[in-house]
Amino acid sequence: MSSKVSQVKFTGVNPRYSSWSCRGWFALKLLGVDFEEDTLNLIDPDFSSKAEKISPSKLFPCVTLTTTDESGKDTGKSHNIWDSFAIAEWAYEYATETGNTAAKNALYPSDWECRALARSAIAEMHSGFPAIRTHCSSNFVTKRPFTPEKWWDNTNVEKELTRIISLWKSCREKYVERKSDSSDAASEDQGFLFGTFGLVDAFFVPVVYRIKHYSLPVKDEFALEYMNKVMNHKYVLEWQDKANKDTIILPHYEYI
Ligand SMILES: N[C@@H](CCC(=O)N[C@@H](CS)C(=O)NCC(=O)O)C(=O)O
């Protein structure tokens, strides 16, 4: 018997800090479904017991789906999708299965060559860049001056930053090439990596914040322009608002 998604619930953690939560949340925004939202607090003494009831890995974001059967009756079952990349892939599959072409094209580029590169860029972001993650922990609110003596001079942060900018450029080059080669690839060009703000841009939002909020030295014109576009996108501004309203301070992400 086939089941149908009747309700989508998003659970994230501390929006002031959680880079992974925002990526999963952007995927649902791009999918364009109505969803309920809940936020857990990493320093709540009951975090672990609350987390294990929702996410099998006890890591967030996690999306919980409620389903109905063919007659529209609640199946009484819920399905959890944890990990930002899994949520992104589920969103694309759901848009595809429900024939929602607008959402499908909002999530990933319609051209397969662009889509393959977008997925590779997301995967590289999802599993890579350990130096930036370690030394510039995610914080959507607090801005710091550039302090090279702290970690810039003796870590791989600069190398990773160079790679990130080169990855952004290769996405953009592929998009421009495919746009002129194939009418299928020609989404409206708003200057994002593949035209409009999609999953690939969403996965780089926390990196853009790290660059801006740790005042990392970026001189590349394209990168500067791209980062400004990202920070002014409506979903990013919405997340920024959530982060600004989050008053729970996690000292180990704040006073570094
Ligand atoms: N690879 C995972 C990482 C998820 C992750 O590490 N989430 C952090 C918050 S940003 C978390 O839930 N931490 C819980 C804990 O530290 O107990 C993803 O992409 O979703």
Side-chain angles (χ1 to χ4, degrees):
M1 197 194 276
S2 68
S3 59
K4 221 173 126 189
V5 173
S6 53
Q7 214 179 17
V8 180
K9 183 175 170 188
F10 172 86
T11 310
V13 297
N14 311 58
R16 184 182 176 102
Y17 304 102
S18 182
S19 60
W20 298 113
S21 297
C22 86
R23 292 169 169 117
W25 185 85
F26 290 137
L28 293 187
K29 295 297 277 188
L30 287 163
L31 178 60
V33 289
D34 287 334
F35 61 95
E36 250 183 77
E37 272 184 66
D38 196 12
T39 305
L40 299 186
N41 169 11
L42 288 167
I43 53 169
D44 174 352
D46 296 327
F47 173 78
S48 190
S49 61
K50 288 179 185 169
E52 70 190 5
K53 291 192 185 97
I54 306 165
S55 168
S57 65
K58 292 208 243 173
L59 296 175
F60 294 87
C62 183
V63 167
T64 306
L65 306 176
T66 307
T67 53
T68 51
D69 64 20
E70 279 152 357
S71 66
K73 207 170 127 233
D74 198 326
T75 60
K77 286 188 196 156
S78 62
H79 307 268
N80 290 315
I81 306 155
W82 63 98
D83 195 292
S84 55
F85 202 0
I87 294 167
E89 287 295 310
W90 169 78
Y92 185 72
E93 183 186 283
Y94 186 67
T96 307
E97 278 183 0
T98 53
N100 188 345
T101 311
K104 217 177 126 181
N105 294 339
L107 288 153
Y108 273 132
S110 59
D111 174 74
W112 80 262
E113 289 189 24
C114 290
R115 201 161 57 245
L117 180 55
R119 280 195 163 106
S120 301
I122 289 177
E124 187 173 339
M125 178 66 250
H126 186 256
S127 61
F129 307 113
I132 288 191
R133 280 191 196 154
T134 307
H135 298 288
C136 311
S137 63
S138 173
N139 191 321
F140 290 97
V141 179
T142 306
K143 298 187 180 97
R144 301 165 167 85
F146 180 50
T147 47
E149 66 287 358
K150 272 198 176 169
W151 39 259
W152 177 260
D153 295 339
N154 52 5
T155 69
N156 285 328
V157 173
E158 186 173 11
K159 222 164 143 188
E160 289 184 1
L161 187 55
T162 305
R163 168 63 193 148
I164 287 169
I165 294 173
S166 129
L167 184 55
W168 288 347
K169 284 185 176 166
S170 56
C171 289
R172 208 37 226 175
E173 277 158 20
K174 172 60 86 181
Y175 170 70
V176 170
E177 171 208 318
R178 294 297 295 164
K179 204 173 134 188
S180 53
D181 272 21
S182 131
S183 59
D184 184 44
S187 67
E188 190 196 340
D189 188 2
Q190 295 173 357
F192 292 99
L193 297 183
F194 293 97
T196 53
F197 181 88
L199 284 173
V200 66
D201 305 285
F203 268 74
F204 283 105
V205 168
V207 169
V208 169
Y209 271 88
R210 283 168 152 116
I211 294 171
K212 292 279 185 187
H213 284 184
Y214 287 80
S215 309
L216 301 188
V218 172
K219 298 215 166 52
D220 185 279
E221 283 298 319
F222 158 77
L224 290 169
E225 205 182 310
Y226 172 65
M227 291 193 294
N228 283 338
K229 265 187 209 306
V230 167
M231 288 186 89
N232 283 302
H233 187 271
K234 61 181 179 180
Y235 296 154
V236 179
L237 292 172
E238 231 183 290
W239 186 269
Q240 175 70 77
D241 191 47
K242 274 179 190 301
N244 290 343
K245 288 181 178 144
D246 180 5
T247 53
I248 301 164
I249 297 297
L250 305 185
H252 53 292
Y253 293 134
E254 206 63 52
Y255 309 113
I256 40 178

